[in-house]
Amino acid sequence: MSDTAAPQTDTTASAQTSQELDASPERQPSPATDAPQPRATVNRSTTPASSAFAEYIGSGWADRDEKIPAPRPAVVSAAAHRAAISQRHPGERLIVPAGRLKQRSNDTDYPFRAHSAFTQLTGWGSDSEPGSVLVLEPTAAGHDAALYFRERAGRDSDEFYANPEIGEFWIGPRPSLAQVAGDLALSTRHIAELQEVLDAVDESTLIVREADEVLTAQLDALRLVQLDDHDADASAEDADAVLARDLSELRLTKNEWEVGELRAAIAATARGFDDIVRELPRIGDHERGERIIEGVFNARARLDGNAVGYDTIAASGPHACILHWTRNNGPVDPGDLVLIDAGVEVDSLFTADITRTLPVSGTFSEPQRLVYEAVREAADAAFAVVRPGIRFREVHTTAMEVIARRVAEWGMLPVSAEEALQADQQQHRRYMVHGTSHHLGLDVHDCAQARREFYIDGVVEAGMTFTIEPGLYFQPDDLTVPEEFRGIGVRIEDDILVTEDGAENLSIAIPRTADDVEAWLARERV
């Protein structure tokens, strides 16, 4: 059945419960396809083990809700991505895992987040099941897609009440094969049947390697055995890298639905910034005020989305000069600036990435305003050049021209701005060592495995979404900087959509000029 045919569940898997599959004496467990057993809790377990208890807890339940949902809006975008990757890899079997739970400590795990390539091709976002695997099996017409995951066990199974990692008594309801098939418009199969795919591994089988290390290791071992070629391992890794590269490059431009998800993430992020501004007066009362900022924003991310798209940076005073300050354990003192770099990840897993720098007392000092407006000038200049047909690197180059000119005017450079801008000079980069832009989407640094000629050296196209985020960071102990500037760090970051004839600043509604920021703080404090 082709990928565009009506979705259906695999009848063999749906006819058996996961208990029957797991209990079958003929079937040997596979470490790559079966969910791992719970980490040892036997020394503190009080779960009854009697047959009377098992019989009693497995009976007397109301029928489950077996309603099959209508396909979610993401399925059209996911199908388009599958069709595109199918065209790039004819005749090759493609394995795209969601990934597994990652241990935080002992028997606790980090919240699960599926690999972006898996979500890209399935549309399964914040509600995806750990250990799931998408397989695109080559056919004469392209590829057939099948989604393998561990279906919920029956209530007559001890998994239901005794498995704290996947049991519904512990983590809540889990979907059936049929429900996921309807929801994602994909054929679905029990994870146990993935072994049949692995048994058929040949030189045409590719995998997204970083998504599931255990499954990748098993696949590599099977390649060595089945292909009987010890050079196959390196060549297979190269071929796998091409798959990851192609999936990244397919995300360089976004479709209408994907742009809509980014708009939703940005709108939620804007509400999070409003929440922070309203809390600024009390934030200064705590010795870890940065933590309060982080917590306030995280609350909004959980209310309006799935989570934060990355660790929030809440950097006050000289901490703002540390580019990825995520300890967030410092005070937020009156008179300082606080740099907040944060983004909400919505349930589709698309994330915003926005930075605003706020005066804690409500108004900028003269040096703070001077630095702030220089950064905004650089951001505005970069935005002004964005349109289809330019090279992506021109965005950064344009912002750097402003940065070099301003720090030269302030007497910080040993050479002129023009000299500093030469490729073999670059002294102005002391005060802004990072780049101005990166692509944005399912990952905060999206499309990271795309080739350089399609990324930094690539031609900008309509539908691309990326950041513009110049900054200036004057370390408190930097003797090349006039004293009144030391300890000031400013970044302004916006999320940009390239249109057919220019660009749209998707985050323009969040105040960004110095005057508008001051008015924003005054308004929210009333």
Side-chain angles (χ1 to χ4, degrees):
M1 181 179 64
S2 71
D3 191 35
T4 56
Q8 58 179 301
T9 59
D10 182 82
T11 55
T12 302
S14 59
Q16 293 178 279
T17 67
S18 60
Q19 179 201 22
E20 291 169 332
L21 285 164
D22 291 344
S24 171
E26 292 79 22
R27 178 174 164 266
Q28 296 299 314
S30 164
T33 57
D34 284 340
Q37 293 302 305
R39 286 182 283 276
T41 58
V42 66
N43 63 328
R44 60 181 173 86
S45 175
T46 61
T47 304
S50 69
S51 59
F53 169 78
E55 180 179 354
Y56 185 62
I57 198 171
S59 62
W61 300 101
D63 291 339
R64 295 178 187 265
D65 177 11
E66 295 294 345
K67 182 179 179 181
I68 307 300
R72 62 179 65 186
V75 302
V76 176
S77 175
H81 282 294
R82 292 197 301 272
I85 200 66
S86 176
Q87 289 181 350
R88 292 196 183 197
H89 291 269
E92 295 177 317
R93 178 183 297 107
L94 310 180
I95 299 177
V96 185
R100 298 167 186 253
L101 287 167
K102 293 180 174 62
Q103 184 181 15
R104 183 181 186 275
S105 64
N106 190 28
D107 58 349
T108 62
D109 298 303
Y110 289 104
F112 178 69
R113 196 238 191 234
H115 191 278
S116 294
F118 176 86
T119 296
Q120 173 187 359
L121 297 180
T122 63
W124 216 357
S126 64
D127 56 341
S128 56
E129 287 287 319
S132 303
V133 181
L134 177 71
V135 177
L136 299 181
E137 194 71 31
T139 67
H143 285 83
D144 283 344
L147 178 60
Y148 296 76
F149 71 98
R150 188 180 183 90
E151 186 181 28
R152 65 191 182 194
R155 284 168 170 161
D156 55 348
S157 163
D158 63 0
E159 174 190 296
F160 171 55
Y161 63 87
N163 189 323
E165 291 184 21
I166 58 176
E168 291 190 69
F169 228 115
W170 295 85
I171 66 170
R174 292 170 51 224
S176 68
L177 292 169
Q179 287 171 328
V180 173
D183 190 13
L184 301 181
L186 276 170
S187 297
T188 55
R189 299 175 185 171
H190 193 280
I191 191 64
E193 297 193 47
L194 183 62
Q195 189 61 48
E196 297 177 13
V197 176
L198 298 180
D199 289 342
V201 164
D202 57 21
E203 65 276 4
S204 74
T205 302
L206 306 180
I207 189 170
V208 176
R209 300 186 65 83
E210 67 180 16
D212 188 327
E213 293 180 358
V214 174
L215 186 58
T216 298
Q218 185 183 14
L219 182 62
D220 286 345
L222 288 168
R223 283 166 167 164
L224 288 174
V225 172
Q226 296 182 8
L227 302 180
D228 193 26
D229 179 1
H230 290 280
D231 294 328
D233 194 34
S235 60
E237 286 193 31
D238 291 342
D240 291 341
V242 172
L243 173 60
R245 179 202 74 190
D246 289 347
L247 287 166
S248 267
E249 290 176 0
L250 286 175
R251 298 207 301 270
L252 284 167
T253 58
K254 272 62 176 181
N255 57 45
E256 184 178 356
W257 178 81
E258 292 168 328
V259 171
E261 291 302 296
L262 278 172
R263 290 185 189 277
I266 291 164
T269 301
R271 293 189 288 274
F273 273 95
D274 282 339
D275 295 340
I276 292 169
V277 169
R278 280 191 290 270
E279 292 294 327
L280 266 182
R282 82 174 179 92
I283 286 171
D285 295 334
H286 198 282
E287 64 181 3
R288 285 188 168 188
E290 292 173 345
R291 289 275 168 95
I292 300 179
I293 291 175
E294 177 185 350
V296 167
F297 189 84
N298 286 5
R300 176 59 62 181
R302 291 293 283 164
L303 286 171
D304 289 3
N306 175 49
V308 291
Y310 53 95
D311 287 343
T312 298
I313 296 170
S316 189
H319 288 166
C321 300
I322 301 171
L323 301 182
H324 282 175
W325 174 258
T326 56
R327 295 181 189 176
N328 298 343
N329 60 2
V332 180
D333 292 329
D336 281 343
L337 298 178
V338 57
L339 185 157
I340 304 161
D341 188 333
V344 172
E345 176 188 84
V346 291
D347 286 321
S348 63
L349 304 188
F350 282 83
T351 185
D353 181 10
I354 296 165
T355 306
R356 292 293 184 265
T357 307
L358 312 176
V360 176
S361 299
T363 57
F364 293 96
S365 69
E366 184 176 346
Q368 289 170 348
R369 177 179 278 266
L370 195 64
V371 175
Y372 186 94
E373 286 295 271
V375 172
R376 184 175 70 85
E377 180 187 358
D380 289 349
F383 177 76
V385 304
V386 178
R387 63 185 183 279
I390 69 165
R391 295 283 177 182
F392 187 63
R393 63 167 53 255
E394 293 179 49
V395 180
H396 174 73
T397 300
T398 302
M400 287 301 94
E401 290 172 355
V402 175
I403 295 297
R405 185 168 65 251
R406 291 304 178 205
V407 295
E409 288 174 359
W410 299 334
M412 299 180 189
L413 297 184
V415 296
S416 68
E418 291 74 21
E419 290 173 302
L421 287 166
Q422 298 300 312
D424 62 348
Q425 297 294 314
Q426 301 290 299
Q427 289 91 339
H428 60 291
R429 295 297 302 279
R430 176 182 181 124
Y431 313 110
M432 182 186 153
V433 298
H434 63 78
T436 303
S437 298
H438 59 78
H439 282 269
L440 180 69
L442 280 170
D443 289 328
V444 64
H445 296 145
D446 208 22
C447 315
Q449 290 161 304
R451 285 167 287 185
R452 184 180 181 88
E453 57 265 35
F454 291 98
Y455 202 123
I456 188 65
D457 293 328
V459 175
V460 169
E461 300 177 22
M464 287 184 170
T465 52
F466 49 76
T467 65
I468 291 180
E469 50 177 310
L472 280 169
Y473 313 91
F474 301 130
Q475 303 292 337
D477 57 351
D478 189 342
L479 300 182
T480 70
V481 174
E483 188 173 357
E484 64 270 24
F485 289 135
R486 293 176 195 166
I488 293 177
V490 173
R491 182 163 66 251
I492 303 171
E493 179 180 19
D494 286 291
D495 299 342
I496 310 303
L497 167 66
V498 183
T499 62
E500 294 294 339
D501 56 0
E504 177 186 354
N505 185 339
L506 299 176
S507 49
I508 193 65
I510 305 174
R512 55 191 303 281
T513 71
D515 288 343
D516 286 347
V517 167
E518 290 180 345
W520 181 26
L521 269 61
R523 182 172 62 250
E524 294 295 343
R525 290 179 184 215
V526 174

